[in-house]
Amino acid sequence: MYIIKQLRRKNNISQSQLGKEIGVSLRTIQLYERKDANIPIKNLTKIAEYFGLTIAELYMHEVNDMGEAYTKRQPFTKHGSVFYPLEHGKYLVMAPLVLVEWHKKYIQSLQKHNLSNPFQGGFIIDFLADEPHRIFEVSGDSMNDSSLEAIPNKAYVLGLEIKKESLTRNNETFWNQSYILVCENRIICKQLTGYNRKNKTVLCHNLNTSPEFQDFELPLDDVLQVFKIVKKQL
């Protein structure tokens, strides 16, 4: 991000110093300061905190300083996410972030109907939706086939919640797309290919064709939440 370089220079901080502060190499900071860099949310949070900013403020500085002034409309909150209006119909959404180490706690909070999450992440989106947004850190490489659709280990994905009952309609628009499935004992990322009405299961497909990753059927009763993946950060 351009703003990282600007903040670093303003505070007279070298790339090596910043890398040391957030626990990454000089080379990594050099990569982060490129325009199209993909910065993991964990490290982006550390950078923001180091400069006394939130991730949202980092994004806002980035958009403003690059000459792409955002509109004067006020941010608003919806389903636990904060939306910052930008130009050209885009929004910065700061949504609850579920890190891998928080997967179990997230499931427990759902089961106790006491949802709490201390983390947030940011995505730029092109449209608003009525459904709740959540960001999940993906665990494992079952969805990593090195294609454009791949979702590798430690990737962050932005999901829109859909009602799991809608999958029973066997609507073709649901299938062959990637989802986050919050189950009773784990959170998984899979491509769904159909619904078995007899067994009441959804058909889960792995993009990775390695022998250790086998497709399977998942009882819909074991699923607590379903999120359709709309964006990803590698």
Side-chain angles (χ1 to χ4, degrees):
M1 294 172 66
Y2 172 78
I3 189 60
I4 294 176
K5 181 186 293 185
Q6 296 301 102
L7 288 170
R8 182 176 56 75
R9 289 178 174 177
K10 182 179 178 180
N11 290 273
N12 197 26
I13 303 293
S14 70
Q15 290 179 324
S16 296
Q17 286 176 297
L18 180 58
K20 185 176 181 180
E21 290 292 336
I22 68 170
V24 299
S25 67
L26 167 62
R27 176 62 175 163
T28 299
I29 294 297
Q30 291 172 338
L31 290 173
Y32 286 178
E33 291 187 357
R34 293 181 180 178
K35 182 178 179 181
D36 297 321
N38 285 310
I39 306 177
I41 292 177
K42 286 181 181 179
N43 289 345
L44 195 59
T45 300
K46 292 179 182 178
I47 292 171
E49 290 177 348
Y50 179 74
F51 290 112
L53 300 170
T54 65
I55 294 181
E57 288 170 333
L58 265 186
Y59 273 104
M60 286 306 187
H61 278 295
E62 177 80 5
V63 172
N64 199 32
D65 288 0
M66 289 296 285
E68 304 169 13
Y70 51 90
T71 66
K72 298 300 181 181
R73 287 183 293 165
Q74 293 296 312
F76 57 92
T77 301
K78 189 176 184 180
H79 298 306
S81 298
V82 182
F83 296 84
Y84 296 83
L86 307 176
E87 282 194 336
H88 310 298
K90 297 181 183 294
Y91 295 83
L92 164 63
V93 54
M94 299 300 299
L97 165 64
V98 185
L99 298 170
V100 169
E101 54 263 38
W102 274 77
H103 279 191
K104 289 184 178 180
K105 291 183 179 180
Y106 181 81
I107 294 170
Q108 291 170 356
S109 67
L110 279 180
Q111 294 169 332
K112 295 178 181 178
H113 305 287
N114 183 28
L115 189 60
S116 60
N117 195 328
F119 306 105
Q120 276 196 327
F123 274 85
I124 302 294
I125 58 176
D126 300 321
F127 63 93
L128 287 177
D130 292 330
E131 297 82 9
H133 292 73
R134 292 289 183 274
I135 300 172
F136 292 88
E137 182 182 16
V138 173
S139 176
D141 271 318
S142 65
M143 291 291 286
N144 186 11
D145 63 351
S146 301
S147 69
L148 291 176
E149 290 75 29
I151 305 175
N153 185 44
K154 298 298 183 180
Y156 295 88
V157 295
L158 176 67
L160 281 177
E161 186 175 7
I162 66 171
K163 294 181 179 179
K164 70 175 185 178
E165 291 77 16
S166 61
L167 298 175
T168 64
R169 301 169 191 163
N170 259 327
N171 188 328
E172 290 185 2
T173 60
F174 288 122
W175 311 131
N176 301 312
Q177 298 190 55
S178 296
Y179 292 84
I180 290 292
L181 304 172
V182 181
C183 306
E184 292 181 348
N185 58 356
R186 57 180 175 160
I187 296 178
I188 57 177
C189 178
K190 299 296 172 198
Q191 190 177 84
L192 298 185
T193 58
Y195 177 71
N196 186 322
R197 192 170 298 278
K198 180 180 178 180
N199 296 334
K200 296 181 180 181
T201 56
V202 285
L203 311 181
C204 298
H205 173 63
N206 297 296
L207 295 182
N208 193 331
T209 57
S210 297
E212 64 264 35
F213 301 117
Q214 299 292 321
D215 294 351
F216 60 93
E217 294 189 21
L218 177 68
L220 196 57
D221 285 345
D222 292 347
V223 178
L224 303 176
Q225 287 182 318
V226 179
F227 291 87
K228 179 183 175 181
I229 295 175
V230 294
K231 277 207 168 185
K232 63 181 178 181
Q233 293 179 4
L234 305 181

